[in-house]
Amino acid sequence: MGNLQFTEQPLSEWMNRDGNESNIVISTRVRIARNLAEFPFPILATNQQSEEVLSQFEQVLSDERMQPFGQLHPIELDDLDDLDKQVLVEKHLISPSLVTESRNGAAFISDDESLSIMVNEEDHLRIQCLYPGLQVKEAWEKASAVDDIFEDHVDYAFDDKRGYLTSCPTNVGTGLRASVMIHLPALALTSQIGRILSAVTQVGLAVRGIYGEGSETVGNLFQISNQITLGQNESEIIDNLYGVVVQIIEHEKAAREKLLSDSRIRIMDRIMRSYGILCYSEIIDSKEAAQRLSDVRLGVDLGFVNVPFHALNELNVMTQPGFLQKRQGGNMSPGERDIYRAKVIREHLKDNLQ
Amino acid sequence: MGNLQFTEQPLSEWMNRDGNESNIVISTRVRIARNLAEFPFPILATNQQSEEVLSQFEQVLSDERMQPFGQLHPIELDDLDDLDKQVLVEKHLISPSLVTESRNGAAFISDDESLSIMVNEEDHLRIQCLYPGLQVKEAWEKASAVDDIFEDHVDYAFDDKRGYLTSCPTNVGTGLRASVMIHLPALALTSQIGRILSAVTQVGLAVRGIYGEGSETVGNLFQISNQITLGQNESEIIDNLYGVVVQIIEHEKAAREKLLSDSRIRIMDRIMRSYGILCYSEIIDSKEAAQRLSDVRLGVDLGFVNVPFHALNELNVMTQPGFLQKRQGGNMSPGERDIYRAKVIREHLKDNLQ
């Protein structure tokens, strides 16, 4: 237990694979929430019950049908130090509430980090699959396949009328949350983002910043996910999310075209200044870093600047507080982090000169 | 006439020589104003009289004692197009009023551009000597030597009580204006500049921005000159200016030390960001360019960034409106200049990577 290979590298292996629409959609995530019928929800479970829950799930992992998903590394939260926990959250490999609220919380993470099975989080079981780009259906199918294997071994809490029962009522029914992390700089620059995101929420989807619920959006990165888990079946949820995201992508593409035709030199100036500042600054806070990385990401797509997308994806994680401190080897004040963040960005962009 | 070699290169040859305190003082200039006794001041002279004035001075140039100053190239203002005139002003080789107010205005400029003799400016004769760094006495001695040669050939307007007579009363007496172009970024950053410059004006010196009288100061470059020409002899004027400038230099050095000890990383961040922006921006106006070049110049002195001083001196001229348009080959709108200025800066910094 306590294998920390996942906190050494900023970029999960799965992020290096090809994804659809990857100039706009960073990644897709699907998670399924499940609970065991014979145990109280984690918040009410005794220590012993939580351990039994974990033990039941561990046994499922030896099912040979799990082999295609790669080796799953067990991680017990209590064995990790705070920085490792924070990095796992920053990489979206575990949820913030597994860190802050769970007792006997654990996770099983695959070698390529595309599959993370959390135990004793808000629910007994959360199966999470991550894919690069826009691959909602693919992520859902994989999570569903894992879910089927578990269902053959354990007794899920299920109600014929309400569907899968979950600790929080917002997850009851399918227990399914599908989300897409999407980069919308041109909609932001052309002041259309408010209108678009408002429309998104009106069709039953939720919009959040990428780090934590309700956190301020930075770097024009948005997480769009289904709000509803009850009253729609899984296919409807997946299709609805996919369809709306495709429309948002079209709007973002149109906005990028408009920027290029209406104010090419102005947008190029903005992007290149951000690149120059990232290459040379000595102090940079996380909000500014995210905004300037967003500019550069747009610049790569528009052909103004040549930085590999994987380097930008890496920097999105590398500039987070936890990863910075993990890399430096200890706790740092916010001021110290701003200095170290600038150094990490300078060096990483230099290493990725093309 | 109309030799335009002087408008091709941004940097005068004399600027490449060593100068004292050249990390703070850009250059020293001394000019002597003289008039011929038998002619009315230029503003009242007829065309024929102005031509006779020019003719008298031309004959002086063949005096063999002028040879050490190098070949003097004659320039008649009426033969120049507007951009050439503007570039000569931007390089401080001629005065703005020679361009805007003179009739039959002319100049004789030495090969290395360190000596410029203006005819039919506000006064019949203005002898101007330029030196790199802080060399007030040297500039004065050279201008005085040229003045002596002229005085052997022509009859200067001179009054035993008031001294040399000039068109504007502010120049009566010695006709001497000595000035130093000085870069004071640390005094500006530490908010001491107002106090220091206010003290300077109280000891009979004037402070201006470097381009034109009363122009807004940009890029922390100041021209400090004697205000008084009457009631002090030449040595007193030169010694007073020199002494005050030496004190200002000490204050600036102390302020730089203080910046380094109190806020090294903050000032380094500011400097490196400015360098990054200059290397990458696509649009930059003259005021921002001057400020960022000032930051970089400070950074060179503090050892943060490696750009040769001559490249920064070149850019100070290359980013001016006249030089930009001359180089591009025609008139440009301010917006077009901002784009071309950014390109010129990017390319020049790239050419001067060390």
Side-chain angles (χ1 to χ4, degrees):
Chain A
M1 300 291 274
N3 183 330
L4 302 186
Q5 68 182 90
F6 306 111
T7 62
E8 298 299 325
Q9 295 301 320
L11 203 60
S12 301
E13 191 188 316
W14 61 266
M15 271 298 285
N16 285 321
R17 298 182 193 134
D18 289 334
N20 299 324
E21 309 284 3
S22 58
N23 58 333
I24 294 177
V25 178
I26 313 295
S27 59
T28 301
R29 180 160 44 141
V30 164
R31 71 110 173 98
I32 295 175
R34 296 286 184 262
N35 288 278
L36 298 179
E38 72 262 44
F39 292 96
F41 290 132
I43 195 164
L44 297 172
T46 64
N47 250 342
Q48 197 193 338
Q49 287 170 322
S50 294
E51 283 169 21
E52 282 177 37
V53 166
L54 178 57
S55 168
Q56 281 210 15
F57 290 138
E58 278 176 326
Q59 287 164 27
V60 179
L61 301 177
S62 55
D63 186 311
E64 63 180 13
R65 286 175 297 167
M66 287 299 293
Q67 280 183 8
F69 304 112
Q71 195 187 345
L72 288 164
H73 300 269
I75 292 172
E76 288 200 13
L77 268 288
D78 291 342
D79 291 348
L80 298 186
D81 65 29
D82 288 345
L83 281 183
D84 280 321
K85 292 178 194 170
Q86 197 174 347
V87 171
L88 292 177
V89 170
E90 288 169 354
K91 292 177 76 177
H92 302 287
L93 293 178
I94 63 175
S95 64
S97 59
L98 188 69
V99 171
T100 54
E101 292 165 31
S102 75
R103 285 173 303 132
N104 295 302
F108 301 89
I109 301 177
S110 69
D111 261 329
D112 70 353
E113 306 177 17
S114 69
L115 174 62
S116 170
I117 296 168
M118 282 176 273
V119 178
N120 290 324
E121 201 243 29
E122 189 179 286
D123 297 297
H124 292 141
L125 180 67
R126 289 205 161 183
I127 300 163
Q128 174 185 271
C129 292
L130 291 151
Y131 272 77
L134 179 63
Q135 301 196 68
V136 190
K137 199 166 182 183
E138 293 80 352
W140 155 245
E141 284 170 353
K142 181 168 166 179
S144 183
V146 174
D147 179 45
D148 289 346
I149 298 168
F150 274 83
E151 195 150 23
D152 285 350
H153 291 271
V154 300
D155 183 19
Y156 279 158
F158 184 81
D159 179 282
D160 281 340
K161 197 165 176 188
R162 290 174 291 171
Y164 293 100
L165 301 180
T166 56
S167 174
C168 177
T170 59
N171 292 314
V172 166
T174 57
L176 173 64
R177 182 85 70 216
S179 67
V180 162
M181 191 196 297
I182 190 165
H183 183 230
L184 304 175
L187 289 174
L189 282 168
T190 56
S191 302
Q192 297 177 75
I193 193 77
R195 182 172 57 79
I196 299 278
L197 296 183
S198 167
V200 166
T201 59
Q202 283 165 28
V203 294
L205 300 181
V207 180
R208 297 191 185 90
I210 69 160
Y211 284 108
E213 303 214 1
S215 69
E216 189 188 4
T217 302
V218 289
N220 301 312
L221 288 169
F222 300 90
Q223 181 188 289
I224 297 176
S225 62
N226 63 305
Q227 188 79 278
I228 296 165
T229 56
L230 188 66
Q232 285 188 327
N233 67 31
E234 288 85 347
S235 291
E236 287 167 339
I237 290 170
I238 295 298
D239 290 349
N240 182 36
L241 177 68
Y242 180 84
V244 171
V245 169
V246 165
Q247 285 183 56
I248 297 172
I249 291 169
E250 292 311 310
H251 284 291
E252 171 66 19
K253 283 181 179 170
R256 292 185 186 188
E257 288 298 320
K258 189 171 160 58
L259 281 176
L260 276 185
S261 61
D262 291 2
S263 47
R264 178 186 177 85
I265 190 79
R266 297 229 154 262
I267 193 67
M268 190 172 176
D269 181 57
R270 178 193 170 100
I271 288 165
M272 297 313 293
R273 281 172 179 251
S274 281
Y275 182 67
I277 286 170
L278 290 172
C279 288
Y280 286 100
S281 78
E282 293 283 335
I283 307 173
I284 195 163
D285 64 29
S286 59
K287 189 172 175 181
E288 182 187 355
Q291 182 56 56
R292 300 212 180 275
L293 286 169
S294 167
D295 286 342
V296 171
R297 183 181 286 273
L298 175 62
V300 172
D301 183 45
L302 298 183
F304 295 150
V305 59
N306 204 354
V307 182
F309 271 131
H310 75 79
L312 297 174
N313 291 335
E314 281 159 358
L315 281 172
N316 278 345
V317 174
M318 291 167 86
T319 54
Q320 298 303 316
F323 199 89
L324 281 178
Q325 293 175 95
K326 174 74 186 170
R327 185 187 175 108
Q328 201 271 347
N331 290 325
M332 288 188 279
S333 70
E336 290 168 336
R337 291 203 297 267
D338 290 348
I339 293 170
Y340 190 61
R341 182 181 294 109
K343 177 176 151 78
V344 163
I345 294 172
R346 288 198 310 273
E347 290 175 353
H348 203 61
L349 288 177
K350 200 170 177 184
D351 289 345
N352 283 281
L353 275 182
Q354 290 188 315
Chain B
M1 299 291 275
N3 184 328
L4 303 185
Q5 68 182 92
F6 306 112
T7 62
E8 298 299 325
Q9 296 300 322
L11 203 61
S12 303
E13 191 188 316
W14 60 266
M15 272 296 285
N16 285 322
R17 299 185 192 130
D18 289 334
N20 300 323
E21 308 285 2
S22 58
N23 58 333
I24 294 177
V25 179
I26 314 293
S27 59
T28 300
R29 182 161 41 143
V30 164
R31 71 111 173 98
I32 295 175
R34 296 288 184 259
N35 288 277
L36 298 180
E38 72 264 40
F39 292 98
F41 290 132
I43 196 166
L44 297 171
T46 63
N47 249 342
Q48 197 193 337
Q49 287 171 323
S50 295
E51 282 169 21
E52 282 176 38
V53 166
L54 178 57
S55 169
Q56 280 208 16
F57 290 137
E58 278 177 326
Q59 286 164 27
V60 178
L61 301 179
S62 56
D63 186 310
E64 64 180 10
R65 287 176 295 167
M66 288 297 293
Q67 279 182 10
F69 304 112
Q71 195 188 344
L72 288 164
H73 300 269
I75 292 172
E76 289 201 12
L77 268 286
D78 292 342
D79 292 347
L80 298 186
D81 66 28
D82 288 346
L83 281 182
D84 280 320
K85 292 177 194 170
Q86 197 175 346
V87 171
L88 292 177
V89 171
E90 286 168 357
K91 292 178 75 177
H92 302 287
L93 294 177
I94 62 174
S95 64
S97 58
L98 188 68
V99 171
T100 54
E101 291 164 29
S102 74
R103 285 172 303 130
N104 295 302
F108 300 90
I109 301 177
S110 69
D111 261 328
D112 70 352
E113 307 177 15
S114 70
L115 174 62
S116 169
I117 297 168
M118 281 176 271
V119 178
N120 290 324
E121 203 247 24
E122 189 178 284
D123 297 298
H124 292 142
L125 180 68
R126 290 204 161 183
I127 299 162
Q128 174 185 270
C129 291
L130 291 151
Y131 271 77
L134 179 62
Q135 302 196 69
V136 190
K137 200 166 182 185
E138 292 80 353
W140 154 245
E141 284 169 354
K142 180 168 167 180
S144 183
V146 174
D147 178 45
D148 289 345
I149 298 168
F150 274 83
E151 194 150 24
D152 285 348
H153 291 272
V154 300
D155 184 18
Y156 278 158
F158 184 80
D159 179 280
D160 281 341
K161 196 165 175 187
R162 290 175 291 171
Y164 293 100
L165 302 179
T166 56
S167 174
C168 177
T170 58
N171 291 313
V172 166
T174 57
L176 172 64
R177 183 85 69 215
S179 67
V180 162
M181 191 196 297
I182 191 165
H183 183 228
L184 304 175
L187 289 174
L189 281 167
T190 55
S191 304
Q192 298 177 75
I193 193 78
R195 184 172 57 79
I196 298 279
L197 297 183
S198 166
V200 165
T201 59
Q202 284 166 25
V203 293
L205 300 180
V207 180
R208 298 192 185 90
I210 69 160
Y211 284 109
E213 303 212 4
S215 71
E216 189 189 4
T217 302
V218 290
N220 301 313
L221 288 169
F222 301 89
Q223 180 189 286
I224 297 176
S225 62
N226 63 305
Q227 189 79 277
I228 296 164
T229 57
L230 188 67
Q232 285 189 326
N233 67 31
E234 287 85 348
S235 291
E236 288 168 340
I237 291 170
I238 296 299
D239 290 349
N240 182 36
L241 177 68
Y242 180 83
V244 172
V245 168
V246 165
Q247 287 184 56
I248 297 173
I249 290 169
E250 292 311 311
H251 284 290
E252 171 67 18
K253 282 181 180 170
R256 291 184 187 188
E257 288 299 320
K258 190 172 160 58
L259 281 176
L260 276 184
S261 62
D262 290 2
S263 46
R264 179 188 177 86
I265 189 80
R266 297 229 154 261
I267 192 67
M268 189 172 176
D269 181 56
R270 178 193 170 99
I271 288 165
M272 297 314 293
R273 280 171 179 251
S274 282
Y275 182 68
I277 286 171
L278 290 172
C279 288
Y280 286 101
S281 78
E282 293 281 336
I283 307 173
I284 194 162
D285 64 30
S286 59
K287 189 172 173 179
E288 182 186 356
Q291 182 56 57
R292 300 212 180 276
L293 286 168
S294 168
D295 286 342
V296 172
R297 182 180 288 274
L298 175 62
V300 172
D301 184 45
L302 298 183
F304 295 151
V305 59
N306 203 354
V307 182
F309 271 131
H310 75 81
L312 298 174
N313 291 334
E314 282 159 357
L315 280 173
N316 278 343
V317 174
M318 290 167 86
T319 54
Q320 298 303 315
F323 199 89
L324 280 178
Q325 294 177 92
K326 174 75 187 170
R327 184 186 175 111
Q328 201 269 349
N331 290 323
M332 288 189 281
S333 69
E336 289 168 337
R337 291 204 297 268
D338 290 349
I339 293 170
Y340 190 60
R341 182 181 294 110
K343 177 176 151 75
V344 163
I345 294 171
R346 288 198 310 273
E347 291 175 353
H348 203 60
L349 288 176
K350 200 170 177 184
D351 290 344
N352 283 282
L353 276 181
Q354 289 188 316

